[in-house]
Amino acid sequence: MKKIFVWTLTGVMALVLAACNKDANGEKATDYSVKTNWCKIPAVTKDVDMFYIPATNYDGSEAGAPNFAPIDNKEMVAGIANECEAHASAYADVANVFVPYYRQASLKYEEDCWRKTGDMLTALTGTPYTDISAALDYYFKNYNGGRPFMIGGHSQGSAMTKLCLMKYFKEHPDYYKRMIAAYVIGFAVTKDDLKNYPHLKFATGESDTGVIVSWNTEGPGNANAKNMVWMPGAISINPLNWKLDDTYAPASLNLGSYILSLETLEQEFRYDINADAQVNVSRGVVVSNAECIFNPYTDIFGAASFHNEDYGLFYNNIKANVATRVAAYLSRK
């Protein structure tokens, strides 16, 4: 949050937050006992779970569109199905992957709130959080069975994960103690977040548990760009060498990317796109020289953003790291 707003939480900022959340006041949560309100309820075959929160798959820019997607919005449902293949699949080898639908904020509404407050998270604290907290309640009481779990997502889903870490799991420490890791990929976790919520810990290597794993990926040309998912004081870990410093990780450490082909519009594995990685510590992002950019939203992520490929560029390394953290957690029990 920009410093100009810090002192105004009872004044101007309060009015802005109220405006950003006015559609959510008094709304009832989605009923997660209804199975059609879940994208994925897996057969339980693994010793751990993943609760995956999807990214923004609802544009909402047409005239009269609501700020939050209806739970059965066709655009959102189709987008989440694609995201499960592109992103959530990275956890499926070692975890039972649960994916709820939720009344997510539109891209337009997120941008509006970001431009008003400096923090996209203000778009999510009403209706979207009401739904995801209800989904977590139902999941823990009816699906989890006491197993250790991971939580994470991408973009709006990672912003929601961060909100849940700050609020939901502070209120439910009995659940939180079973968390293997939170993969907050594609949304900023900041030094102030860790200071203000001391129960949160950021990863320091490839195998520590009970920690947050997070990065935003940019090209070198984004160094001074405004980016809706980035905030001052951000922290990123390098997904190729799992270091927090600026140690360079060459593309030879990349186990394989899984990215969208602009020719076929299908996900495909690539090993030839120079997807290296280096943490820019001062900006708190991962910088890559990867030779693919699919970035239709330069006005909100920056001209050289790799936001759409935060998972894809490092897909096989994410899969390997998930397996490493799960094995480390289970070995300590």
Side-chain angles (χ1 to χ4, degrees):
M1 184 178 293
K2 296 180 179 179
K3 290 182 180 179
I4 191 171
F5 291 115
V6 171
W7 64 273
T8 62
L9 284 174
T10 58
V12 174
M13 187 62 174
L15 293 174
V16 171
L17 290 175
C20 283
N21 292 302
K22 63 183 179 181
D23 292 339
N25 291 338
E27 283 193 326
K28 186 178 180 180
T30 293
D31 183 357
Y32 287 97
S33 69
V34 178
K35 287 184 169 51
T36 55
N37 290 335
W38 293 83
C39 176
K40 286 189 176 294
I41 305 173
V44 174
T45 60
K46 311 292 197 311
D47 293 330
V48 305
D49 293 347
M50 174 61 179
F51 188 95
Y52 184 89
I53 307 174
T56 306
N57 287 284
Y58 168 60
D59 182 70
S61 60
E62 63 274 18
N67 290 333
F68 305 107
I71 198 69
D72 58 352
N73 177 268
K74 291 181 180 179
E75 176 190 7
M76 180 185 74
V77 168
I80 289 175
N82 291 333
E83 185 179 351
C84 284
E85 167 59 26
H87 296 164
S89 59
Y91 304 96
D93 284 356
V94 296
N96 312 300
V97 181
F98 292 82
V99 184
Y101 296 121
Y102 65 106
R103 293 171 295 169
Q104 60 180 224
S106 71
L107 182 63
K108 179 183 183 301
Y109 188 56
E110 291 175 296
E111 180 181 355
D112 288 346
C113 286
W114 169 59
R115 294 194 184 282
K116 289 176 182 176
T117 70
D119 188 350
M120 189 191 87
L121 205 64
T122 57
L124 310 182
T125 56
T127 297
Y129 180 75
T130 295
D131 274 5
I132 288 298
S133 59
L136 283 167
D137 282 345
Y138 194 85
Y139 159 74
F140 280 116
K141 292 174 183 175
N142 297 278
Y143 292 144
N144 174 254
R147 290 182 297 278
F149 69 96
M150 296 170 285
I151 186 171
H154 183 242
S155 198
Q156 179 173 172
S158 284
M160 183 59 64
T161 300
K162 174 177 160 178
L163 187 58
C164 290
L165 289 169
M166 294 188 299
K167 185 175 180 181
Y168 185 89
F169 288 107
K170 184 178 181 181
E171 297 167 355
H172 296 86
D174 50 331
Y175 299 152
Y176 186 60
K177 67 184 180 183
R178 289 190 273 116
M179 189 188 80
I180 298 169
Y183 284 83
V184 186
I185 298 174
F187 193 78
V189 174
T190 70
K191 295 173 184 177
D192 282 346
D193 294 331
L194 303 182
K195 178 180 177 181
N196 294 332
Y197 299 90
H199 66 289
L200 302 182
K201 307 297 179 186
F202 202 90
T204 59
E206 67 176 343
S207 62
D208 44 348
T209 60
V211 295
I212 297 170
V213 179
S214 180
W215 64 83
N216 280 298
T217 319
E218 298 183 327
N222 238 45
N224 298 308
K226 291 184 177 180
N227 187 335
M228 189 168 73
V229 293
W230 170 87
M231 293 186 70
I235 311 167
S236 283
I237 194 166
N238 190 317
L240 297 187
N241 61 23
W242 304 104
K243 295 180 181 294
L244 296 171
D245 62 21
D246 63 356
T247 302
Y248 175 69
S252 59
L253 295 180
N254 194 311
L255 302 177
S257 303
Y258 190 44
I259 62 174
L260 183 71
S261 166
L262 298 184
E263 288 76 32
T264 66
L265 298 182
E266 300 286 341
Q267 294 292 127
E268 64 179 20
F269 282 100
R270 295 286 300 273
Y271 303 88
D272 59 348
I273 58 173
N274 192 36
D276 58 357
Q278 184 174 28
V279 175
N280 178 329
V281 177
S282 61
R283 184 165 167 86
V285 300
V286 167
V287 178
S288 179
N289 295 292
E291 297 164 0
C292 73
I293 292 183
F294 175 60
N295 178 23
Y297 302 110
T298 58
D299 55 333
I300 56 175
F301 298 128
S305 171
F306 285 111
H307 180 64
N308 277 20
E309 301 298 352
D310 284 315
Y311 269 82
L313 291 180
F314 313 113
Y315 182 87
N316 278 348
N317 293 77
I318 296 170
K319 286 185 68 174
N321 183 250
V322 169
T324 296
R325 290 188 198 276
V326 167
Y329 182 94
L330 294 178
S331 71
R332 294 166 189 158
K333 293 298 172 183

